């Protein structure tokens, strides 16, 4: 089971809110805008989540 820290959950919520807002506006996600809207800590948390998903998928979740 994938367990996320409070910081990881917060970063994931911010990412989902960002993506949802862009989708509602009918706009594509701009990488520069994404990077500007998230702290380095957020990006590290999201990278960690991505790596965990990759690891679990290789184990045949």
């Amino acid at each position: 089971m994938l367990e996320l820290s409070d910081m990881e959950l917060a970063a994931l919520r911010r990412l989902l809110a960002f993506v949802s807002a862009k989708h509602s506006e009918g706009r594509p996600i701009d990488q520069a805008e994404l990077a500007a809207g998230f702290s380095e800590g957020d990006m590290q948390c999201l990278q960690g989540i991505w790596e965990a998903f990759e690891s679990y998928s290789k184990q045949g979740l």
Side-chain angles (χ1 to χ4, degrees), residues 10-19 22 29-43 46:
L12 189 54
R13 283 186 192 108
R14 283 190 288 278
L15 176 63
L16 293 173
F18 177 85
V19 170
K22 295 302 164 202
I29 297 171
D30 178 14
Q31 188 173 2
E33 188 176 10
L34 177 67
F38 289 85
S39 70
E40 183 64 31
D42 285 340
M43 297 304 270
L46 294 171

